[in-house]
Amino acid sequence: MKHFCFRHFFLFAVVFICFLPDVNAQEKTKFTISGYVKDASTGEYSIGANVYIKELLKGANSNQYGFYSITVEKGTYHLVVSYLGYENFIKEIVLDKDIRLNVDMRSEVITTQEVEVVSEKSDKNVSSTSVGSVKMDMEEIKKIPAFMGEVDVLKTIQLLPGVKSAGEGNTGFYVRGGGPDQNLILLDEAVVYNASHLLGFFSVFNGDAVKSITLIKGGMPAQYGGRLASVLDISMKEGNTKQYHAEGGIGVISSRLTVQGPIKKDTGSFIISGRRTYIDVLAKPFAKPDSPLKNSGYYFYDLNAKVNYRLSDKDRIFASGYFGRDKLNFEDNVAKFNLNVAWGNSTGVIRWNHLFNNKLFMNTSAIFSDYNFSFGAGQSGFEFKLYSGIRDWNAKVDFSYFPSIRHEIKFGANYIFHTFTPTSVSAKQGDVEFDFGKIRKDKAHEAAVYLSDDFDVSDKLRIHAGLRYSYFVQIGPFDRYIKDPINGQTSQIIHYTSNKKVKDYGGFEPRVNARYQLNSKSSVKASYTYNLQYIHLASLSAVALPTDTWVPCSQLVQPQKGTQYSLGYFRNFKENTYETSVEIYYKDLQNQIEYKDGSLPSTDINDNADNQFIFGKGQAYGAEFFIKKRLGRFNGWVGYTLSYTKRIFPELNLGKEFYAKYDRRHDVSLLGSYDLSKKWTFAAVWVYSTGNAITVPVAYYIIDGNFVTEYGDRNAFRMPAYHRLDLSATFTPDRNKKIERKKQRLIKRYQEQGKDVSTIEVPKKWSKNYESSWSFSVFNVYNRHNPYIVYFSNEGSIATGDYKAKAKQVYLFPILPSVTWNFKF
């Protein structure tokens, strides 16, 4: 029955679109203008450019590949294309037939007769149906003060309302009460399962290779699925199709280099970007010869690559990939002990864009995604290894159909083959190997189809309605370990052969967003979203760590279910220079998982991981306030979140409701950047949040000579509040003035030598497009000792009657200055 629903739902969508009557052909009164929007200087396509008919004040946004399509009545109009940081493109069109118009957007410093220089007056904050969605470009992100000089997209989104940091300096994040595994993180459509380096202090995304990011906190469109809380969609740069360029930077802890250029001018391009830390290289010369640090070290590296090629005006192909690793090794020759830990992600994506006609656009993708963790240790002939991971093979097809200016229809299908490697262990002493069972690999299929329409009901009411159907099945080979409920020992093992169904789940996931325009400056929006999540992250920590294990739905683990309601008021001021919003939300979460008390990932050896889990439910609700200034020399925003996140597990906290470990009552962020001149840009960030919820001991007893600790209610204690100020300054030398000074010195030298000044030949290298800048930043300016962990130390003695447990806190980062030199040529 589920297979029947899956096939016929998608078949209905295809038939509906492909055989839809051609209204234009019947009426002969409507025509379509379509094309691609791209950067004139680089040839890269512009995502989310605002394309509209000036006389109608209606239009569309360019999609992820820069394509737009607008169908209106026959007539003479002015087409306007606007994009932040670029001049508005305005062109008169006579629409008496279908027109293909590709638009080249030029930087604000360039003027032509065809382009009017006016600031972008986009009203997307008010007019779109998007709820809880934020789009940011890398140029905007690079102005924000960076931790240790490393520009980080994940730390930037933590400054938005409704998004909470996992901890001091950490890239992990929680969205509207959801856990870290409930965020769908995509890099060019490929899932990134662990998005952090250095145990979470840096993200895996190299800012030089990233084009833009989109965060969806609520009102998730139907083309996204598999997660409950949010979507973070990151697009890589495509590469310059006009000329070759290189850029990079040298910082305190890492360096990076990016090279890009045309494969064939205006037809294809490539980009390669790499980054590596050198803490290990710098530390080794200072280590003593007999010190363990001499043969030890830690580093991480990233490599991004992408190529694209335009086969025709209707066809284009892309291939992109990412490979990154963290590596930690420690070796003590005296103790004959060694340790090796490595973890990282790999992704690969091949995409084909095809334009069937001026209204129907298709993208087909083949995607590979892999994450693995390995731990190895040895001493005196004994070797121990532990590893885990997840690997996906993914195929998807997405269609965009633009029947009229009032409709934008999307539909598609997605299939994923999952391979899970739960925590597996091997060990040996010399030639003797210990039997911990064979390496287990759990396998599963996941598939989905979707259909959505973004349409105008009236001039004031616009609705985005979507429906998604998803299906998940775990398959063999698989061994189910049945536990005796009394002693907890394995009483039976059920074996499932290869490809045999172990357990399946499925269901419909409706999504609805609505926008009611009160006037040209304000609107009210509402959304309802229902999501199913079939894979889970088993974690013992409040932050995402490389040791966390991904597990599938099974006979014991049911799909996580999330229902979110949100309502917001949006208003722009001063010709859309200021954007403001107030949003309230409520989220209901079912089938949440936690480890049983006392369980560890290693306890599932010769066992199923889900035998260590317990299950519960949760709820989250709150209000988000946001004010953003988006134009002018001074830019920035103020965000405030009031939120509550609660959980109920029958086997935890005596079955009583408790606050989740990432519950924070208040969260404030203030961000501002100021372009003082062409040379200097200054920025500041201040953040404040309520302390983390933790469980602490409340009493100590001596029972039968044994020391017993009594803990209070789960997460009933708050760590001290977190707050911090960061500052940065960027100095960009004036290249033209530098060249002019060189010319004047050359002229003076000619004059002193009695040479004819008119014969001076300026070296070509002086006129090359070379830029450089210095970025200075200070993290934690007023040296706030923000607690990272709280522990209890024992002081005194029970025998003498002066015993007491004293709470102590550990903080990580004092005031940290850094400097980075950036270059581009």
Side-chain angles (χ1 to χ4, degrees), residues 119 191 205 238 250 399 474 607 611 652 736 765:
S119 297
V191 175
F205 305 113
E238 296 155 4
I250 300 175
F399 294 88
Q474 183 189 7
D607 197 357
N611 283 327
L652 294 178
N736 293 328
K765 64 180 182 179

Side-chain angles (χ1 to χ4, degrees), residues 158-264:
Q158 292 172 4
L159 302 174
L160 297 170
V163 185
K164 301 181 187 300
S165 164
E168 173 78 295
N170 203 291
T171 58
F173 63 99
Y174 307 99
V175 178
R176 291 185 172 180
D181 64 326
Q182 295 174 2
N183 302 314
L184 178 63
I185 303 177
L186 301 173
L187 178 63
D188 270 2
E189 299 190 55
V191 175
V192 178
Y193 280 101
N194 188 308
S196 62
H197 286 304
L198 191 58
L199 302 178
F201 294 109
F202 299 98
S203 81
V204 300
F205 305 113
N206 182 349
D208 288 345
V210 173
K211 183 177 182 178
S212 66
I213 66 170
T214 301
L215 174 70
I216 303 172
K217 300 179 291 182
M220 190 184 299
Q223 65 262 35
Y224 297 108
R227 301 294 188 277
L228 302 187
S230 73
V231 177
L232 180 62
D233 198 344
I234 301 175
S235 298
M236 285 177 55
K237 292 179 179 177
E238 296 155 4
N240 196 311
T241 62
K242 306 290 185 179
Q243 53 189 333
Y244 295 98
H245 280 288
E247 64 180 306
I250 300 175
V252 176
I253 66 168
S254 72
S255 291
R256 62 190 193 280
L257 177 65
T258 301
V259 179
Q260 59 181 312
I263 299 173
K264 181 179 180 181

Side-chain angles (χ1 to χ4, degrees), residues 696-701 707-711 803:
V696 301
V698 294
Y700 300 91
Y701 305 97
F707 188 78
V708 178
T709 302
E710 180 185 347
Y711 286 88
Y803 172 83

Side-chain angles (χ1 to χ4, degrees), residues 139-140 142-145 632-635 672-684 727-733 773-777:
E139 294 306 313
E140 182 181 4
K142 287 181 177 180
K143 293 182 179 181
I144 299 172
R633 296 172 66 183
F634 176 78
N635 293 281
S673 66
Y674 180 68
D675 296 325
L676 179 65
S677 64
K678 291 183 178 179
K679 291 184 177 181
W680 285 99
T681 298
F682 298 93
L727 299 175
S728 71
T730 301
F731 174 69
T732 305
S773 64
W774 290 89
S775 296
F776 308 92
S777 64

Side-chain angles (χ1 to χ4, degrees), residues 512-565:
V512 179
N513 295 354
R515 180 268 296 156
Y516 185 80
Q517 192 106 17
L518 300 175
N519 50 51
S520 62
K521 298 179 180 180
S522 62
S523 65
V524 175
K525 302 180 186 182
S527 75
Y528 164 81
T529 307
Y530 178 75
N531 295 61
L532 296 172
Q533 179 169 332
Y534 299 105
I535 66 174
H536 317 260
L537 186 67
S539 176
L540 293 170
S541 171
V543 299
L545 295 175
T547 53
D548 296 343
T549 304
W550 288 92
V551 296
C553 280
S554 65
Q555 294 149 319
L556 300 183
V557 181
Q558 297 184 35
Q560 296 185 59
K561 299 178 181 180
T563 305
Q564 182 176 183
Y565 309 86

